[in-house]
Amino acid sequence: GAGVSQSPSNKVTEKGKDVELRCDPISGHTALYWYRQSLGQGLEFLIYFQGNSAPDKSGLPSDRFSAERTGGSVSTLTIQRTQQEDSAVYLCASSLDRQGSGIYGYTFGSGTRLTVV
Amino acid sequence: DQQVKQNSPSLSVQEGRISILNCDYTNSMFDYFLWYKKYPAEGPTFLISISSIKDKNEDGRFTVFLNKSAKHLSLHIVPSQPGDSAVYFCAASADGGSGNTGKLIFGQGTTLQVKP
């Protein structure tokens, strides 16, 4: 597609339920990143994919968080047993390659606003 | 451990005047710095970047200045327009070297309001 697409745009879930967030990156972009923005906070790095592998998972806050990427394209971020502190906007971004991310930046999607009640 | 800091949560300027957004960082290994702009309900969009080997980069109304000795960068918008009202994030990358991920470290953001 022309841009990075994320779904759903909004998700309200009950505490303790599992949620799946989807990211469809720009076609041909090999690097994919997940970030989250909690209220009043900056963008917090979660995980980086190069192709289907995730060489950097250092930002995942707990083992309730996991992500996968299939076919070098679509990625899903799964949060198990959601907690209220998981409420945030989850942003996905892609770039042609990790090299040059500092020069050209990434392209972000519009995000998924997750609210855990 | 906040490696990239934007100490001003908000800034208000008059249309036509200069907007100056500031950012400080702690990691001397950062070699690229970027600014992103974010409107409500949209993802951040890339605005401008600067390499650590430069001290200034200009693109139209936007200029980024880098002071490596002070570990400080700033974004100047001249002249400011009401459409510039948005949240501005600075970010840093350690883009060089083997094994790098292209990961960007973001500041907390500064909300800019440009009044007509």
Side-chain angles (χ1 to χ4, degrees):
Chain A
V4 177
S5 178
Q6 290 188 248
S7 61
S9 54
N10 280 286
K11 176 73 177 178
V12 180
T13 189
E14 289 181 355
K15 179 181 168 181
K17 295 282 177 77
D18 298 351
V19 294
E20 266 192 9
L21 312 179
R22 176 187 167 107
C23 172
D24 203 339
I26 292 172
S27 178
H29 279 195
T30 62
L32 185 147
Y33 305 83
W34 282 97
Y35 284 79
R36 75 174 176 182
Q37 185 183 13
S38 303
L39 192 63
Q41 302 296 312
L43 279 70
E44 175 190 3
F45 169 79
L46 297 177
I47 187 169
Y48 154 66
F49 284 93
Q50 182 62 37
N52 290 339
S53 65
D56 189 346
K57 306 178 183 179
S58 62
L60 294 178
S62 75
D63 58 8
R64 296 187 295 104
F65 287 72
S66 63
E68 64 174 15
R69 189 179 184 194
T70 54
S73 181
V74 171
S75 176
T76 54
L77 176 69
T78 302
I79 310 172
Q80 296 178 310
R81 305 180 302 282
T82 51
Q83 302 295 313
Q84 286 184 330
E85 63 262 27
D86 299 335
S87 296
V89 176
Y90 289 81
L91 291 156
C92 175
S94 70
S95 69
L96 198 57
D97 189 81
R98 68 182 192 277
Q99 302 287 349
S101 291
I103 305 170
Y104 308 113
Y106 320 135
T107 301
F108 278 91
S110 298
T112 295
R113 180 174 295 278
L114 175 67
T115 305
V116 182
V117 297
Chain B
D1 175 24
Q2 193 79 26
Q3 296 187 70
V4 179
K5 295 181 185 179
Q6 293 175 258
N7 292 316
S8 297
S10 63
L11 174 68
S12 182
V13 301
Q14 208 65 37
E15 181 179 6
R17 307 295 290 268
I18 184 171
S19 294
I20 300 176
L21 298 123
N22 294 303
C23 180
D24 298 294
Y25 62 96
T26 57
N27 189 340
S28 57
M29 297 301 292
F30 289 142
D31 53 8
Y32 283 97
F33 303 90
L34 305 87
W35 285 93
Y36 275 80
K37 178 164 105 171
K38 185 182 185 301
Y39 293 118
E42 294 183 11
T45 54
F46 170 73
L47 201 52
I48 191 169
S49 67
I50 188 168
S51 162
S52 61
I53 63 172
K54 296 188 174 181
D55 55 17
K56 177 182 175 181
N57 189 26
E58 192 172 350
D59 183 3
R61 297 186 297 114
F62 302 91
T63 303
V64 57
F65 295 93
L66 176 63
N67 182 334
K68 280 188 69 177
S69 61
K71 293 192 175 68
H72 178 84
L73 66 152
S74 61
L75 175 69
H76 293 209
I77 306 173
V78 183
S80 301
Q81 299 172 355
D84 296 329
S85 298
V87 179
Y88 288 79
F89 292 96
C90 70
S93 166
D95 199 41
S98 62
N100 83 82
T101 66
K103 178 169 72 180
L104 298 180
I105 309 298
F106 285 84
Q108 307 96 309
T110 297
T111 300
L112 172 66
Q113 183 185 28
V114 180
K115 297 179 179 177

